[in-house]
Amino acid sequence: MGLAEITQRVRAAEQAAGRAEGSVTLIAVSKVQPLDRVVAVLEAGHRVFGENYVQEAAGKWPGLRARFGPVAVHMIGPLQTNKARLAVDLFDAVHTVDRPSLAQKLAALAQSRGACPKLFVQVNTGKEPQKAGVLPGDLAGFLADCRTMDLPINGLMCIPPEAEDATPHFAMLAAMASDHGLTSLSMGMSSDFEAAIAHGATHIRVGSAIFGARNYPPRAG
Ligand SMILES: *Cc1c(COP(=O)(O)O)cnc(C)c1O
């Protein structure tokens, strides 16, 4: 696979769903990939990436941005509250707003900076106990809390349970976003991004299908 093929499949899926070309943002998930693979994708002209670990991203992207110019980097991994400040300086979007303490911290940072990354609330659509995310039944209350804090939420994100068909989870997330007037939907990975696009994904997070398998163990932090 690789970037060219995935880009082509994204265009085909947009067309099949009757959606405008370019309505889906392809986030190339570069976590724990060797730097030469990331550089190759940058050299091919791609400018939207995803990372899971603040520390890893902080070590990688300032240098790559100095070399390649503006690159949008999206935080798609769990965010510790004590790393929120570093995260808002580094990332253009955070897909994993999942609890009041983090929302409060981000709201305070947004106030003092006068700007805020694009924010997605992560929803635990499969109600998996080990997984992060707001439970579907708690979403309305959480979004109301964010409004009270003046924290702008742009969309919803989900990671469906691994062993299940992702399609009902995509449909559920799309319905919840529509109920709440949210226009951005972060859903779909290497194995299911076409189904996600059919269900209205605006942001897909594709790692291994672009870069190849991740051979390196994830780093903490
Ligand atoms: C790693 C990761 C991805 C990319 O997964 P692939 O299967 O390699 O496409 C997408 N979303 C999240 C939240 C991830 O952690």
Side-chain angles (χ1 to χ4, degrees):
M1 280 185 260
L3 179 67
E5 187 196 325
I6 297 305
T7 303
Q8 206 166 35
R9 283 172 55 189
V10 171
R11 294 290 165 263
E14 285 172 343
Q15 198 164 44
R19 299 182 50 189
E21 181 172 326
S23 57
V24 177
T25 298
L26 171 61
I27 300 171
V29 178
S30 47
K31 64 173 176 216
V32 310
Q33 293 286 355
L35 197 63
D36 60 328
R37 293 189 192 172
V38 181
V39 166
V41 170
L42 282 160
E43 280 173 344
H46 198 71
R47 289 295 181 270
V48 188
F49 290 79
E51 292 284 349
N52 284 59
Y53 310 100
V54 175
Q55 228 65 57
E56 183 189 347
K60 192 188 299 183
W61 286 102
L64 289 172
R65 281 170 167 156
R67 192 169 152 197
F68 288 94
V71 179
V73 184
H74 293 232
M75 175 57 171
I76 63 169
L79 181 55
Q80 290 171 255
T81 306
N82 65 7
K83 296 211 171 101
R85 181 178 296 273
L86 191 54
V88 297
D89 285 339
L90 190 59
F91 296 112
D92 299 277
V94 175
H95 291 232
T96 47
V97 181
D98 63 353
R99 58 194 191 280
S101 59
L102 179 59
Q104 247 145 27
K105 182 75 195 191
L106 291 170
L109 289 165
Q111 286 289 324
S112 67
R113 300 163 86 247
C116 189
K118 195 174 160 84
L119 299 178
F120 295 77
V121 171
Q122 182 175 352
V123 182
N124 186 352
T125 56
K127 301 186 196 170
E128 295 172 280
Q130 82 287 2
K131 197 165 270 177
V134 176
L135 292 170
D138 296 339
L139 180 64
F142 185 70
L143 289 171
D145 290 346
C146 292
R147 267 195 303 278
T148 305
M149 293 173 209
D150 253 337
L151 185 68
I153 300 296
N154 300 89
L156 302 179
M157 175 270 214
C158 75
I159 309 171
E162 257 171 59
E164 282 179 36
D165 176 12
T167 305
H169 296 273
F170 296 156
M172 188 199 299
L173 198 72
M176 289 188 292
S178 166
D179 283 350
H180 293 286
L182 298 170
T183 50
S184 294
L185 275 175
S186 168
M187 57 190 196
M189 309 186 2
S190 289
S191 57
D192 53 22
F193 67 85
E194 281 138 330
I197 290 171
H199 283 87
T202 59
H203 294 71
I204 57 171
R205 312 177 307 264
V206 180
S208 45
I210 292 175
F211 293 102
R214 286 179 287 274
N215 303 315
Y216 292 69
R219 273 179 263 172

